PDB file of all heavy atoms in Angstrom:
ATOM      1  N   ALA A 410      81.151-119.350 109.575  1.00 85.00           N
ATOM      2  CA  ALA A 410      80.898-118.399 108.499  1.00 85.00           C
ATOM      3  C   ALA A 410      79.444-118.357 108.062  1.00 85.00           C
ATOM      4  O   ALA A 410      79.150-117.939 106.951  1.00 85.00           O
ATOM      5  CB  ALA A 410      81.793-118.722 107.303  1.00 85.00           C
ATOM      6  N   GLY A 466      75.680-116.080 104.918  1.00 92.00           N
ATOM      7  CA  GLY A 466      77.067-116.144 105.337  1.00 92.00           C
ATOM      8  C   GLY A 466      78.002-115.926 104.173  1.00 92.00           C
ATOM      9  O   GLY A 466      77.634-115.391 103.121  1.00 92.00           O
ATOM     10  N   THR A 467      79.239-116.374 104.363  1.00 90.00           N
ATOM     11  CA  THR A 467      80.273-116.247 103.341  1.00 90.00           C
ATOM     12  C   THR A 467      80.751-117.631 102.961  1.00 90.00           C
ATOM     13  O   THR A 467      81.165-118.420 103.815  1.00 90.00           O
ATOM     14  CB  THR A 467      81.448-115.401 103.847  1.00 90.00           C
ATOM     15  OG1 THR A 467      80.953-114.123 104.259  1.00 90.00           O
ATOM     16  CG2 THR A 467      82.481-115.221 102.753  1.00 90.00           C
ATOM     17  N   GLY A 468      80.676-117.924 101.666  1.00 91.00           N
ATOM     18  CA  GLY A 468      81.051-119.231 101.174  1.00 91.00           C
ATOM     19  C   GLY A 468      82.386-119.225 100.476  1.00 91.00           C
ATOM     20  O   GLY A 468      83.210-118.311 100.674  1.00 91.00           O
ATOM     21  N   PRO A 469      82.633-120.226  99.639  1.00 91.00           N
ATOM     22  CA  PRO A 469      83.894-120.295  98.899  1.00 91.00           C
ATOM     23  C   PRO A 469      84.109-119.034  98.057  1.00 91.00           C
ATOM     24  O   PRO A 469      83.165-118.406  97.583  1.00 91.00           O
ATOM     25  CB  PRO A 469      83.699-121.531  98.007  1.00 91.00           C
ATOM     26  CG  PRO A 469      82.657-122.345  98.711  1.00 91.00           C
ATOM     27  CD  PRO A 469      81.749-121.369  99.373  1.00 91.00           C
ATOM     28  N   ALA A 470      85.365-118.673  97.882  1.00 89.00           N
ATOM     29  CA  ALA A 470      85.751-117.502  97.087  1.00 89.00           C
ATOM     30  C   ALA A 470      85.165-116.219  97.650  1.00 89.00           C
ATOM     31  O   ALA A 470      84.971-115.242  96.917  1.00 89.00           O
ATOM     32  CB  ALA A 470      85.350-117.684  95.625  1.00 89.00           C
ATOM     33  N   GLN A 471      84.896-116.204  98.956  1.00 88.00           N
ATOM     34  CA  GLN A 471      84.361-115.019  99.627  1.00 88.00           C
ATOM     35  C   GLN A 471      83.046-114.537  99.029  1.00 88.00           C
ATOM     36  O   GLN A 471      82.735-113.345  99.020  1.00 88.00           O
ATOM     37  CB  GLN A 471      85.402-113.890  99.610  1.00 88.00           C
ATOM     38  CG  GLN A 471      86.661-114.200 100.398  1.00 88.00           C
ATOM     39  CD  GLN A 471      86.350-114.523 101.866  1.00 88.00           C
ATOM     40  OE1 GLN A 471      85.774-113.699 102.570  1.00 88.00           O
ATOM     41  NE2 GLN A 471      86.731-115.720 102.307  1.00 88.00           N
ATOM     42  N   ILE A 472      82.246-115.465  98.526  1.00 93.00           N
ATOM     43  CA  ILE A 472      80.932-115.129  97.987  1.00 93.00           C
ATOM     44  C   ILE A 472      79.927-115.095  99.131  1.00 93.00           C
ATOM     45  O   ILE A 472      79.755-116.078  99.853  1.00 93.00           O
ATOM     46  CB  ILE A 472      80.488-116.153  96.930  1.00 93.00           C
ATOM     47  CG1 ILE A 472      81.423-116.111  95.720  1.00 93.00           C
ATOM     48  CG2 ILE A 472      79.055-115.879  96.487  1.00 93.00           C
ATOM     49  CD1 ILE A 472      81.124-117.160  94.682  1.00 93.00           C
ATOM     50  N   LYS A 473      79.284-113.968  99.295  1.00 93.00           N
ATOM     51  CA  LYS A 473      78.242-113.853 100.311  1.00 93.00           C
ATOM     52  C   LYS A 473      76.951-114.444  99.754  1.00 93.00           C
ATOM     53  O   LYS A 473      76.605-114.200  98.607  1.00 93.00           O
ATOM     54  CB  LYS A 473      78.035-112.396 100.705  1.00 93.00           C
ATOM     55  CG  LYS A 473      79.222-111.775 101.418  1.00 93.00           C
ATOM     56  CD  LYS A 473      78.899-110.359 101.862  1.00 93.00           C
ATOM     57  CE  LYS A 473      80.087-109.722 102.561  1.00 93.00           C
ATOM     58  NZ  LYS A 473      80.469-110.467 103.773  1.00 93.00           N
ATOM     59  N   TYR A 474      76.254-115.183 100.587  1.00 95.00           N
ATOM     60  CA  TYR A 474      75.009-115.810 100.144  1.00 95.00           C
ATOM     61  C   TYR A 474      73.920-115.570 101.173  1.00 95.00           C
ATOM     62  O   TYR A 474      74.174-115.342 102.359  1.00 95.00           O
ATOM     63  CB  TYR A 474      75.206-117.308  99.923  1.00 95.00           C
ATOM     64  CG  TYR A 474      75.539-118.074 101.186  1.00 95.00           C
ATOM     65  CD1 TYR A 474      74.543-118.580 102.018  1.00 95.00           C
ATOM     66  CD2 TYR A 474      76.877-118.277 101.561  1.00 95.00           C
ATOM     67  CE1 TYR A 474      74.851-119.259 103.169  1.00 95.00           C
ATOM     68  CE2 TYR A 474      77.193-118.961 102.725  1.00 95.00           C
ATOM     69  CZ  TYR A 474      76.180-119.442 103.524  1.00 95.00           C
ATOM     70  OH  TYR A 474      76.493-120.116 104.686  1.00 95.00           O
ATOM     71  N   LEU A 521      73.310-113.847  95.935  1.00 96.00           N
ATOM     72  CA  LEU A 521      74.757-114.044  95.961  1.00 96.00           C
ATOM     73  C   LEU A 521      75.432-112.717  95.623  1.00 96.00           C
ATOM     74  O   LEU A 521      74.959-111.976  94.749  1.00 96.00           O
ATOM     75  CB  LEU A 521      75.198-115.102  94.953  1.00 96.00           C
ATOM     76  CG  LEU A 521      74.519-116.473  95.030  1.00 96.00           C
ATOM     77  CD1 LEU A 521      74.907-117.316  93.825  1.00 96.00           C
ATOM     78  CD2 LEU A 521      74.896-117.173  96.328  1.00 96.00           C
ATOM     79  N   SER A 522      76.540-112.413  96.285  1.00 94.00           N
ATOM     80  CA  SER A 522      77.265-111.186  95.974  1.00 94.00           C
ATOM     81  C   SER A 522      78.739-111.344  96.315  1.00 94.00           C
ATOM     82  O   SER A 522      79.106-112.113  97.220  1.00 94.00           O
ATOM     83  CB  SER A 522      76.673-109.993  96.737  1.00 94.00           C
ATOM     84  OG  SER A 522      76.840-110.151  98.133  1.00 94.00           O
ATOM     85  N   ARG A 523      79.551-110.599  95.579  1.00 92.00           N
ATOM     86  CA  ARG A 523      80.993-110.634  95.814  1.00 92.00           C
ATOM     87  C   ARG A 523      81.638-109.430  95.145  1.00 92.00           C
ATOM     88  O   ARG A 523      81.322-109.115  93.988  1.00 92.00           O
ATOM     89  CB  ARG A 523      81.612-111.905  95.254  1.00 92.00           C
ATOM     90  CG  ARG A 523      83.103-112.071  95.534  1.00 92.00           C
ATOM     91  CD  ARG A 523      83.654-113.295  94.846  1.00 92.00           C
ATOM     92  NE  ARG A 523      85.020-113.583  95.217  1.00 92.00           N
ATOM     93  CZ  ARG A 523      86.087-112.999  94.699  1.00 92.00           C
ATOM     94  NH1 ARG A 523      85.929-112.079  93.746  1.00 92.00           N
ATOM     95  NH2 ARG A 523      87.311-113.308  95.094  1.00 92.00           N
ATOM     96  N   PRO A 524      82.543-108.742  95.833  1.00 91.00           N
ATOM     97  CA  PRO A 524      83.318-107.693  95.168  1.00 91.00           C
ATOM     98  C   PRO A 524      84.303-108.316  94.176  1.00 91.00           C
ATOM     99  O   PRO A 524      84.963-109.317  94.478  1.00 91.00           O
ATOM    100  CB  PRO A 524      84.047-106.998  96.314  1.00 91.00           C
ATOM    101  CG  PRO A 524      83.352-107.442  97.561  1.00 91.00           C
ATOM    102  CD  PRO A 524      82.822-108.804  97.275  1.00 91.00           C
ATOM    103  N   VAL A 525      84.415-107.730  92.996  1.00 92.00           N
ATOM    104  CA  VAL A 525      85.315-108.215  91.951  1.00 92.00           C
ATOM    105  C   VAL A 525      86.217-107.072  91.513  1.00 92.00           C
ATOM    106  O   VAL A 525      85.735-106.004  91.128  1.00 92.00           O
ATOM    107  CB  VAL A 525      84.520-108.765  90.749  1.00 92.00           C
ATOM    108  CG1 VAL A 525      85.476-109.202  89.645  1.00 92.00           C
ATOM    109  CG2 VAL A 525      83.631-109.919  91.186  1.00 92.00           C
ATOM    110  N   ASP A 526      87.518-107.301  91.565  1.00 90.00           N
ATOM    111  CA  ASP A 526      88.486-106.279  91.162  1.00 90.00           C
ATOM    112  C   ASP A 526      88.690-106.355  89.656  1.00 90.00           C
ATOM    113  O   ASP A 526      89.209-107.339  89.128  1.00 90.00           O
ATOM    114  CB  ASP A 526      89.811-106.503  91.889  1.00 90.00           C
ATOM    115  CG  ASP A 526      90.764-105.330  91.730  1.00 90.00           C
ATOM    116  OD1 ASP A 526      90.484-104.452  90.872  1.00 90.00           O
ATOM    117  OD2 ASP A 526      91.771-105.279  92.449  1.00 90.00           O
ATOM    118  N   VAL A 535      79.373-107.408  92.487  1.00 95.00           N
ATOM    119  CA  VAL A 535      78.574-108.192  91.557  1.00 95.00           C
ATOM    120  C   VAL A 535      77.569-109.003  92.379  1.00 95.00           C
ATOM    121  O   VAL A 535      77.960-109.737  93.290  1.00 95.00           O
ATOM    122  CB  VAL A 535      79.439-109.126  90.706  1.00 95.00           C
ATOM    123  CG1 VAL A 535      78.565-109.966  89.768  1.00 95.00           C
ATOM    124  CG2 VAL A 535      80.453-108.328  89.903  1.00 95.00           C
TER     125      VAL A 535
END
Side-chain angles (χ1 to χ4, degrees):
T467 303
Q471 296 302 301
I472 296 175
K473 294 184 181 299
Y474 65 88
L521 306 171
S522 65
R523 184 185 187 278
V525 177
D526 191 348
V535 178

